Amino acid sequence: MSTLTKRLRRGAAILATAVACALAAPAPATQADPLRRAAAFDVLVFSKTAGFRHDAIPAGIDALRELGSQGDFTVTATEDAAAFTPSGLSGYEAVVFLNTTGDVLNASQQASFETYVDSGGGFVGVHAAADTEYDWPYYGRLVGAYFDSHPAIQQATLATEDHTHPATAHLGATWTRTDEWYNYRANPRPGVHVLQTLDETTYSGGSMGADHPITWCHSQGDGRSFYTGLGHTAQSYSDPAFRSLLLGAVRYAAGQAPADCSSAGGADRIEAESYTTGSGVQAAPHAGASGGQTLGYIDNGDWVGYATVSTEGARSFSARVSSAGAGGTIEVRSGSATGTLLGSVRVPVTGGWETFTDVSTTLSATASGSLFLRFTGGSGALFDIDTLSVTTEPTAAALNPNVHLFYYPWYGSPATNGSWRHWQQGGQTPPAAIGADFYPALGPYGSGDFTGAVTQHMEWIARSGAGVLVYSWWGQGSYEDRLARGVLDAAQKEGIKVAWHLEPYAGRTAASTVADVQYINNTYGSHPAFYRSPEHGGKNAFYVFQSLDITDWSPLDQVTGTSSVLAQTTDTTKIAHFSGMYTYDGIAGATAPGWKQAGDYARAHDLIWAPSVAPGYLDDRAVPGNTTPTVERNNGAAYDRQWNNALDPAIGGSPTWVSVTSFNEWHEGSQIEPAAAVPPESPGYRTYDGAYGLTAAAAQTAYLDRTAYWADRFAGAG
């Protein structure tokens, strides 16, 4: 179809260069770097040492100062611990412990820093920050893990676990570099969000095994904590990739860039000695324990309670324990020491109080009270507990009405239409050969198959967390218009709302668009799935594709009092009479050109800003010979990059809605609809294999589930 071809070929020459730059290795920020437009903030860099002193400290300070000049934040460097007072810290959004070592703060300074972080301040620990303050349990929780040992400086390979955090979004799946690789006294994973791990098979001297976190983040009170074991060598601070990691860390810690730093599986690591109530127990000093202490002196019948730890949704319990005594059992209870028994786990004799092991158990009962542990066993000392964690089952997230999926109902099959429709794009011959580089998990379906494909689509959209589908509509009486009510009915069953994508059918004008808006409102406006935005006076939403094809949109004034109508552009000189802007483009999101300016303008003029993000772009089979550039999915990294751009206020301009291109535009290869893990062998299709670490059938829904992740992040950011 000529209109489809026009949609596919847009902006190739300029975007090819933009995409190549966006997906290349990171480079130092330049004048055009969007980070220059971030809100100004202030950072304190603290590098006091009471042990080994790293000669890389001056290079680290210089690098942070240069990043500050590029990222619009100030850097104050000090080794004077007297700065750690309430007033001294109050002027900083984040504090960086740059290769600190030993005992660097006294008791009052520690108290001031605890209050600073718990009240919303940010902490960044670099390398030897883990070799600091071993006798301060709060700091042990803040940094995440204490240093244990290290081999000689050598090359090793890191794996990136999180491609969305601003500190690691620029990195590929692996990163090979030279540094001094720390082993830690305990694996921090239960209580932190791991961003990078070390592959111990790529170097000598690793002692943590297959799971060796090296960079992580987590929340601490109302504050934010980030730590990386990288940064021993002075050369690290001239490495553009490491500098980008530092910049993202500082911006996250300072609250300038959103990031999900929740711990894996909903588990938070708890220092066992931090109980709020108990009987018969007390803290015991242990050099090898997290925080330097354990919960000790445990005898039969003793118990502890943790008032701030809820058992609601608890599904498993784990603890790091040691025993040179009798061993015994930990009973996990809710509400009191005699409350509901959720589960229990046996603690073995480990052979020494300094010899730790991990124990865990599933929890089968349900309750919502605070966590209590009761201890049973033989006579005498039983065991010590270093840390513990409770994993909770995530609750089903509500659909996010501010995430909108472009939905295409233009397909047909012999079963529903008597012939193929749209799948043969590009001269293909369905069902084996279709005009797409991926093959639908449902096969080439008909958009009128309401009890089959459409019902499944709505279930999948609900799974994605998106609350609104934006229905591709091609004029009054069109094929898509005739299917609209069936899609509305199916959407209603899943709680999904329907907005409208007004496509450029032949002869469309501003006046006909007004008539279309009125027609859609009158024909479908009473349907319970018809989208209306409470935040915008109950108005519905219309996205106008290729709005720049028409220069005078003044007729829209007839309908924008009751409907929100969005132009497809970021050019704010071309949106007179519109209610806002969107981009649609599945390519430009990698660089977000003009997004910050468009978002700022929209916010200043009470307009809607709905930038579009896409998992990738590949139209080779639909439009053979097309010169539009390809955006490779990179196992999900491309999608994460676009979402991260949208949600970063310094880049995305704080969107009202985020629109996703697309649920099922198979011709452009931008779909998040599940693609077959085992497609027909010919003509040779791609799959989602490898997306977010998933393979085979499990990967088919990878982009649905990642959309749900981002929809939840967007809801939290709002």
Side-chain angles (χ1 to χ4, degrees):
M1 296 175 65
S2 59
T3 301
L4 174 63
T5 302
K6 185 175 181 181
R7 181 197 294 275
L8 294 169
R9 291 181 178 274
R10 58 196 179 279
I14 295 174
L15 289 170
T17 301
V19 172
C21 293
L23 299 180
T30 65
Q31 183 67 36
D33 192 332
L35 294 174
R36 284 183 172 274
R37 298 188 293 273
F41 59 99
D42 301 287
V43 175
L44 178 67
V45 177
F46 185 55
S47 55
K48 181 179 178 181
T49 56
F52 180 84
R53 185 168 183 85
H54 287 72
D55 59 12
I57 288 174
I61 293 172
D62 289 345
L64 286 163
R65 282 176 170 155
E66 291 171 10
L67 291 171
S69 67
Q70 297 161 1
D72 197 19
F73 60 88
T74 67
V75 168
T76 300
T78 186
E79 298 200 356
D80 185 359
F84 285 74
T85 65
S87 60
L89 295 171
S90 63
Y92 300 102
E93 279 71 25
V95 176
V96 179
F97 275 43
L98 177 65
N99 277 322
T100 53
T101 55
D103 187 0
V104 292
L105 300 179
N106 64 29
S108 64
Q109 293 160 354
Q110 291 173 357
S112 295
F113 193 49
E114 289 183 18
T115 300
Y116 166 80
V117 174
D118 288 345
S119 299
F123 166 81
V124 175
V126 178
H127 192 58
D131 188 24
T132 302
E133 295 289 355
Y134 289 96
D135 296 325
W136 180 15
Y138 177 91
Y139 184 82
R141 295 191 296 274
L142 179 66
V143 75
Y146 283 117
F147 163 78
D148 182 58
S149 64
H150 67 77
I153 296 171
Q154 59 192 292
Q155 182 174 285
T157 298
L158 300 84
T160 306
E161 288 200 13
D162 188 331
H163 293 278
T164 69
H165 194 284
T168 52
H170 64 289
L171 297 173
T174 60
W175 182 22
T176 300
R177 65 186 309 276
T178 298
D179 214 317
E180 181 183 74
W181 305 113
Y182 274 7
N183 299 307
Y184 300 96
R185 294 185 178 183
N187 190 320
R189 186 179 294 275
V192 303
H193 181 82
V194 177
L195 302 174
Q196 294 178 297
T197 54
L198 270 175
D199 182 351
E200 291 193 355
T201 67
T202 64
Y203 73 104
S204 299
S207 65
M208 297 182 67
D211 184 23
H212 187 151
I214 196 68
T215 303
W216 56 78
C217 61
H218 67 102
S219 59
Q220 182 97 349
D222 290 333
R224 296 156 302 280
S225 172
F226 181 100
Y227 171 80
T228 181
L230 285 61
H232 172 87
T233 66
Q235 292 81 3
S236 295
Y237 298 91
S238 60
D239 175 2
F242 180 62
R243 289 164 68 102
S244 292
L245 184 146
L246 281 180
L247 179 59
V250 169
R251 297 188 68 243
Y252 155 72
Q256 301 296 308
D260 178 7
C261 284
S262 57
S263 55
D268 289 318
R269 189 181 65 177
I270 302 157
E271 294 289 341
E273 68 274 13
S274 66
Y275 61 92
T276 53
T277 183
S279 174
V281 299
Q282 57 183 290
H286 279 282
S290 172
Q293 292 182 310
T294 64
L295 175 68
Y297 302 96
I298 297 172
D299 295 314
N300 182 50
D302 291 348
W303 58 269
V304 291
Y306 301 85
T308 61
V309 182
S310 174
T311 60
E312 184 172 7
R315 289 296 175 264
S316 68
F317 170 86
S318 62
R320 185 174 187 250
V321 298
S322 68
S323 176
T329 300
I330 302 172
E331 296 179 352
V332 183
R333 294 182 176 271
S334 177
S336 72
T338 57
T340 301
L341 179 63
L342 305 179
S344 62
V345 61
R346 178 72 183 170
V347 177
V349 175
T350 64
W353 295 113
E354 306 298 331
T355 304
F356 290 92
T357 190
D358 293 321
V359 296
S360 63
T361 185
T362 58
L363 305 177
S364 54
T366 59
S368 58
S370 56
L371 175 68
F372 278 78
L373 305 179
R374 184 174 179 271
F375 313 117
T376 62
S379 61
L382 301 183
F383 47 81
D384 282 6
I385 306 177
D386 182 12
T387 60
L388 58 96
S389 62
V390 176
T391 301
T392 58
E393 182 179 79
T395 57
L399 302 184
N400 188 338
N402 296 325
V403 177
H404 298 188
L405 291 181
F406 291 108
Y407 181 81
Y408 290 85
W410 55 16
Y411 303 105
S413 69
T416 57
N417 300 74
S419 61
W420 296 107
R421 189 176 196 280
H422 247 277
W423 294 114
Q424 65 271 40
Q425 178 72 31
Q428 307 298 321
T429 305
I434 62 172
D437 289 83
F438 298 84
Y439 197 82
L442 296 178
Y445 51 78
S447 294
D449 180 11
F450 299 119
T451 60
V454 177
T455 294
Q456 179 62 78
H457 284 173
M458 298 308 124
E459 293 176 2
W460 279 336
I461 291 173
R463 177 170 176 164
S464 80
V468 180
L469 72 82
V470 185
Y471 188 87
S472 176
W473 188 85
W474 290 83
Q476 299 178 38
S478 65
Y479 177 77
E480 296 77 16
D481 186 32
R482 297 196 300 272
L483 299 182
R485 192 168 297 279
V487 173
L488 283 158
D489 291 343
Q492 172 61 19
K493 294 177 182 178
E494 297 294 333
I496 299 162
K497 301 300 182 183
V498 178
W500 306 85
H501 203 188
L502 303 184
E503 304 281 11
Y505 57 79
R508 186 183 72 175
T509 64
S512 73
T513 300
V514 169
D516 292 337
V517 170
Q518 294 169 335
Y519 166 82
I520 290 172
N521 286 338
N522 293 334
T523 305
Y524 306 112
S526 61
H527 197 285
F530 193 81
Y531 172 70
R532 298 184 188 279
S533 173
E535 293 78 16
H536 298 91
K539 295 180 181 180
N540 50 8
F542 295 89
Y543 292 75
V544 181
F545 187 70
Q546 292 183 0
S547 59
L548 298 183
D549 290 352
I550 298 171
T551 56
D552 180 11
W553 283 101
S554 57
L556 287 181
D557 294 344
Q558 302 173 50
V559 294
T560 50
T562 56
S563 298
S564 295
V565 185
L566 276 61
Q568 187 214 350
T569 186
T570 57
D571 186 345
T572 56
T573 68
K574 303 293 179 61
I575 62 170
H577 311 289
F578 281 93
S579 312
M581 298 165 282
Y582 76 110
T583 57
Y584 183 82
D585 199 313
I587 301 174
T591 54
W595 284 17
K596 169 68 170 169
Q597 178 267 340
D600 288 350
Y601 183 92
R603 189 166 55 256
H605 293 82
D606 197 25
L607 299 172
I608 294 167
W609 166 232
S612 304
V613 299
Y617 187 98
L618 180 62
D619 62 8
D620 293 348
R621 189 165 289 127
V623 187
N626 189 15
T627 58
T628 299
T630 293
V631 175
E632 293 290 349
R633 295 189 175 223
N634 289 334
N635 293 331
Y639 196 34
D640 287 348
R641 180 190 300 278
Q642 297 203 21
W643 266 105
N644 203 60
N645 284 345
L647 299 192
D648 186 338
I651 300 173
S654 302
T656 314
W657 305 328
V658 173
S659 49
V660 179
T661 307
S662 62
F663 176 76
N664 63 336
E665 220 295 20
W666 289 91
H667 304 303
E668 294 183 351
S670 66
Q671 76 288 336
I672 66 169
E673 181 183 353
V678 185
E681 291 185 5
S682 179
Y685 294 96
R686 298 195 182 195
T687 70
Y688 298 161
D689 198 61
Y692 303 105
L694 301 173
T695 58
Q700 292 184 154
T701 57
Y703 291 97
L704 294 177
D705 295 337
R706 196 60 172 179
T707 304
Y709 163 86
W710 282 110
D712 184 62
R713 286 276 305 277
F714 187 31

